[in-house]
Amino acid sequence: MTNQVRIYSSPFSFLDFKNSEQAAKGKKSKHICNKLNWNINKLSKNISPMINGNNVSMERAVSEAKKIIRDSKEIHMDGFCCDQHSIIDLIRFAQRKMCTCNHLEWRKISNFYINLQRFGGAFSSLNEIINRCDFLFFVGWDNDFSFIENLVKKVKNKNLKVFVLSEKKKVLNIPKLIKVNKGTLGSEFNLIGNILLNSKHDNQKYESVSDLFNKSNYPVFVPKIDKDNYELITSFFQILKNLNIKKPTKILNTLFSNNAPGFINACLTKSGYPNAICFSPIGPLYDPFEYNSFKLKDFKDLQIFVSCFDHNVKIDFFKNNIFIGHPHFTQRSKVNVFIPTKIPGVDSQGLILRPELSGIRKLKSLVKSSYPSLSDVLKMIGIKNL
């Protein structure tokens, strides 16, 4: 029995990870990423395609999906929670059919990019942080603490200074936790930002933060981007804009779940906008407050929702709904057509983009299954290669 160490990219993890595997015959490897383990273990059962909650053959499901698409006048496409090549195929279809399209994480994307467009920002890649960072400040992190732990462990600078601004009483084993009362994250970060901007201040509470920031050579701030913390992200970008006047200060983009970076990149390439697009005869239109499923569900007759990575997504139901993706989609009996597919990084290969949009991550096929790939399904129902 021998041990092998391999590098894996999980579609459910911000960071690549090393995994020690036993090469004995029949020995299963347990991966560090818990979500990846869950998806691997769930593949033992083969789930059938469905039409209106009834199990059917793949041929019948594909035929019904094609009929619904052919008979629909107004189509909204959503989810885009899949590999990069499939995202590009879906957007090409949306352009040809004059569809609206948005991502599963549209609220987070809009929250981030509306403020980026307004205030600007200087971003750091993950490799730059690992090799150069000496000051890390996490803003608004009340969950996903394993991300903080893993990122801090990867930074090479042994004198790295880490601060976490949080509403939680105890997070990790990081001594520089700045605990604030619930609902005061924005105001407290504004206070810290003003102190960092002013060399002379009389606030003793954050004096150590100010001193270490002033002495740092490569400071990086890491915001927790949620769908409902718009005011905090607005304050964050405004403060970082001002700090950059004083000294170069970087941001780490943490929009990574469900291949949101891949969707953003594909949308920017095709339309110049990051999300929430309506393809029209006069060109692509952009409005994150209008081109989303909540606003469109009563006006368009079909939604095509693609989600390979997230099985527990809550969708807004249209008159007709086609779901393509994760075999364990929890609402599969409620849609008109449900077609299960392989999951890139689990039982098929694929590409996703890194959060900083500076490169791709290759996903390996780790186990075998009888599900068709998403690419094959898109070909069968006529979305790909029209």
Side-chain angles (χ1 to χ4, degrees):
M1 184 181 296
T2 60
N3 286 337
Q4 294 180 338
V5 176
R6 296 182 180 178
I7 304 296
Y8 283 94
S9 280
S10 167
F12 315 104
S13 173
F14 183 88
L15 303 166
D16 294 337
F17 58 89
K18 294 181 180 179
N19 205 69
S20 181
E21 301 178 344
Q22 289 186 326
K25 186 176 181 180
K27 182 73 175 180
K28 288 187 176 181
S29 171
K30 186 174 182 181
H31 298 275
I32 293 173
C33 178
N34 292 329
K35 287 186 178 180
L36 180 59
N37 283 325
W38 185 90
N39 279 275
I40 290 174
N41 294 333
K42 277 288 186 178
L43 277 177
S44 57
K45 185 179 180 181
N46 195 16
I47 295 175
S48 172
M50 304 180 85
I51 296 177
N52 297 321
N54 299 311
N55 291 342
V56 297
S57 67
M58 179 62 70
E59 290 75 15
R60 279 198 61 193
V62 167
S63 177
E64 181 68 12
K66 291 172 71 174
K67 180 180 181 299
I68 294 175
I69 293 172
R70 185 174 60 249
D71 295 341
S72 297
K73 295 181 180 178
E74 296 283 343
I75 301 175
H76 174 68
M77 304 186 66
D78 216 308
F80 289 88
C81 175
C82 54
D83 67 283
Q84 196 61 27
H85 290 310
S86 295
I87 287 177
I88 294 170
D89 289 332
L90 290 165
I91 289 180
R92 284 174 177 166
F93 173 83
Q95 184 180 27
R96 287 170 178 150
K97 289 290 187 178
M98 300 294 176
C99 305
T100 51
C101 54
N102 214 341
H103 192 269
L104 168 63
E105 306 281 8
W106 71 269
R107 289 182 177 87
K108 293 182 182 180
I109 296 171
S110 298
N111 188 3
F112 186 82
Y113 274 90
I114 287 173
N115 285 294
L116 174 61
Q117 290 164 348
R118 181 180 176 187
F119 298 107
F123 291 89
S124 175
S125 69
L126 184 59
N127 285 336
E128 286 177 318
I129 291 175
I130 291 172
N131 293 303
R132 300 178 61 188
C133 183
D134 56 356
F135 181 96
L136 264 178
F137 197 110
F138 295 87
V139 181
W141 290 79
D142 297 326
N143 51 32
D144 292 339
F145 299 126
S146 60
F147 163 75
I148 298 177
E149 282 185 319
N150 293 331
L151 179 58
V152 170
K153 287 177 183 177
K154 283 183 172 289
V155 177
K156 294 179 180 180
N157 192 328
K158 301 303 180 183
N159 296 318
L160 173 70
K161 308 303 179 185
V162 181
F163 295 90
V164 181
L165 181 65
S166 175
E167 294 179 349
K168 292 290 184 181
K169 291 181 179 179
K170 179 69 175 176
V171 292
L172 318 174
N173 295 314
I174 298 174
K176 299 296 184 180
L177 168 67
I178 303 174
K179 167 68 174 63
V180 298
N181 295 327
K182 189 173 182 180
T184 63
L185 272 171
S187 58
E188 203 68 17
F189 186 60
N190 273 325
L191 174 61
I192 294 172
N194 289 330
I195 292 171
L196 298 183
L197 280 169
N198 299 309
S199 301
K200 296 180 180 180
H201 59 84
D202 55 2
N203 189 302
Q204 301 297 316
K205 183 177 179 181
Y206 298 122
E207 184 176 0
S208 62
V209 181
S210 179
D211 289 343
L212 292 171
F213 173 77
N214 290 328
K215 293 176 181 177
S216 65
N217 295 313
Y218 199 90
V220 179
F221 285 71
V222 187
K224 181 69 169 74
I225 305 163
D226 280 327
K227 61 184 180 181
D228 55 359
N229 66 345
Y230 179 82
E231 291 183 0
L232 176 63
I233 299 303
T234 300
S235 296
F236 177 88
F237 272 95
Q238 190 169 19
I239 289 169
L240 267 289
K241 178 182 179 180
N242 294 330
L243 286 177
N244 263 294
I245 298 173
K246 181 178 181 179
K247 68 183 300 182
T249 307
K250 303 293 185 178
I251 300 169
L252 176 63
N253 183 359
T254 56
L255 268 173
F256 72 93
S257 57
N258 297 311
N259 197 20
F263 177 76
I264 293 166
N265 178 270
C267 284
L268 288 171
T269 301
K270 184 61 77 171
S271 70
Y273 302 116
N275 70 324
I277 300 169
C278 174
F279 288 105
S280 75
I282 61 172
L285 307 175
Y286 169 69
D287 191 333
F289 301 108
E290 293 296 328
Y291 303 139
N292 59 75
S293 59
F294 180 77
K295 284 292 187 71
L296 297 172
K297 61 184 178 181
D298 296 325
F299 301 100
K300 298 213 168 193
D301 51 356
L302 172 62
Q303 174 180 229
I304 301 173
F305 201 104
V306 178
S307 177
C308 295
F309 300 134
D310 193 342
H311 75 288
N312 197 31
V313 58
K314 302 296 188 295
I315 70 174
D316 295 309
F317 287 98
F318 287 53
K319 178 182 177 181
N320 293 303
N321 302 273
I322 298 172
F323 182 93
I324 306 169
H326 202 295
H328 289 274
F329 173 50
T330 54
Q331 296 178 297
R332 57 185 179 272
S333 62
K334 297 181 179 180
V335 296
N336 300 84
V337 179
F338 163 71
I339 302 178
T341 69
K342 295 181 185 292
I343 304 170
V346 178
D347 53 343
S348 73
Q349 299 177 347
L351 301 175
I352 59 175
L353 255 67
R354 295 186 180 278
E356 64 271 30
L357 305 180
S358 63
I360 60 171
R361 298 170 67 182
K362 295 182 179 180
L363 303 177
K364 300 177 182 179
S365 177
L366 305 179
V367 291
K368 294 182 179 180
S369 78
S370 59
Y371 298 116
S373 69
L374 176 57
S375 178
D376 288 340
V377 171
L378 296 183
K379 287 179 183 177
M380 285 189 283
I381 65 176
I383 286 180
K384 184 174 182 178
N385 295 331
L386 278 178

